[in-house]
Amino acid sequence: MVFGIGEAMAGYALLRSAIAGVKGAIETGKDAKNIAKLVGSIFTAQDQIQKEKNHNVTVKDQFGMENIVSSEIDKAELESQLNEIRLLCNMKYGSDFWSNCLQIRNNALAEQKEKEKKARIRKAQEAKELRHNLFILLSIVVVAGFIFVAFALYQKAFAKEYTRSQKIHRGDIVLIKTTTCRLFAQDIKDNGSTRWCFYQTRIGFKRKYSTITQDSVSFCQREFKCRINALTDSPPKEVNDTMKNLNKGFN
């Protein structure tokens, strides 16, 4: 392993700590499983250093990092410690122990990358399916709208002309129902300026009433076609004052 000059303290500190941890575990007789976990921390530290190497470090930064790596001797010493730990592990747990640990870690990383790749592919596929479904929905709405408009235009262009009776039956024409209202009283009111004409009629067995006001110089017509829905069930209160003058209005 070759170390560069411009590396940050975190990666190297992690590597030194990991080497010391593995060495201490070997000296205390830890089993291969525990040692393998600690060896994994060494690989993690190496990855951290490699990531830091990939960052652009200026000359000024390199000269300002003498507290991290002061010389090539420090790097050689760190490399020597790593080689020593590798040799101790292989001697105690088998000649392929270190390479097996590295292979297991590489397999785990590859598996993780594969999972992440599948997750990205699945996410992209879901997004694609969502866009496809939205396109289908929009297409259905547009086609349905087009069909509705086309049908409406067709109906308008080729609509059948109904007779008056059919229009009345369909409700297109609303007939105003009328009956004959006959004058039964009249009076001059409002200081002689207004003539009040009171009418009545029968709808079935019920009497209905209507009132017309007009200029006093005009005479009340004896009867007229009044709208049934405008009639009242009782005569207006003005009739009570007028009944005594019933005969006056027929001049």
Side-chain angles (χ1 to χ4, degrees), residues 99-116:
S99 60
N100 287 341
C101 290
L102 182 60
Q103 184 62 44
I104 291 172
R105 184 174 186 275
N106 290 339
N107 291 342
L109 291 176
E111 183 179 354
Q112 180 63 28
K113 289 181 180 180
E114 184 65 21
K115 288 181 179 179
E116 293 175 354

Side-chain angles (χ1 to χ4, degrees), residues 129-142:
E129 290 178 358
L130 178 61
R131 291 192 299 269
H132 179 69
N133 292 336
L134 288 176
F135 175 77
I136 292 177
L137 179 61
L138 180 61
S139 299
I140 292 174
V141 172
V142 171

Side-chain angles (χ1 to χ4, degrees), residues 147-189:
I147 293 175
F148 176 80
V149 172
F151 180 76
L153 292 176
Y154 175 83
Q155 287 288 92
K156 184 176 181 180
F158 297 96
K160 179 181 177 181
E161 183 64 28
Y162 294 101
T163 63
R164 177 178 173 80
S165 298
Q166 289 174 327
K167 288 180 179 181
I168 293 173
H169 181 72
R170 283 165 49 88
D172 298 335
I173 297 177
V174 178
L175 294 178
I176 299 176
K177 295 182 179 180
T178 62
T179 187
T180 300
C181 290
R182 293 180 173 82
L183 183 70
F184 76 95
Q186 60 178 304
D187 198 2
I188 303 296
K189 296 180 180 294

Side-chain angles (χ1 to χ4, degrees), residues 15-61:
L15 181 56
R16 289 191 181 92
S17 176
I19 291 174
V22 174
K23 186 175 182 180
I26 293 175
E27 291 175 352
T28 56
K30 296 291 184 180
D31 58 18
K33 184 177 181 181
N34 289 324
I35 297 299
K37 292 181 179 179
L38 294 173
V39 170
S41 65
I42 292 179
F43 297 149
T44 301
Q46 290 176 318
D47 288 343
Q48 178 68 25
I49 293 172
Q50 187 59 43
K51 290 179 181 179
E52 293 164 354
K53 278 185 176 183
N54 294 333
H55 296 162
N56 294 327
V57 182
T58 64
V59 174
K60 180 180 179 180
D61 293 333

Side-chain angles (χ1 to χ4, degrees), residues 39-102:
V39 170
S41 65
I42 292 179
F43 297 149
T44 301
Q46 290 176 318
D47 288 343
Q48 178 68 25
I49 293 172
Q50 187 59 43
K51 290 179 181 179
E52 293 164 354
K53 278 185 176 183
N54 294 333
H55 296 162
N56 294 327
V57 182
T58 64
V59 174
K60 180 180 179 180
D61 293 333
Q62 292 177 6
F63 282 111
M65 301 176 73
E66 62 273 6
N67 292 328
I68 302 174
V69 182
S70 61
S71 67
E72 294 294 329
I73 297 176
D74 295 329
K75 290 181 285 183
E77 181 182 352
L78 193 57
E79 178 68 23
S80 176
Q81 292 178 9
L82 186 58
N83 288 334
E84 179 184 354
I85 290 298
R86 185 185 300 113
L87 181 60
L88 287 175
C89 287
N90 287 340
M91 289 178 61
K92 188 173 181 63
Y93 303 106
S95 59
D96 57 352
F97 176 80
W98 191 272
S99 60
N100 287 341
C101 290
L102 182 60

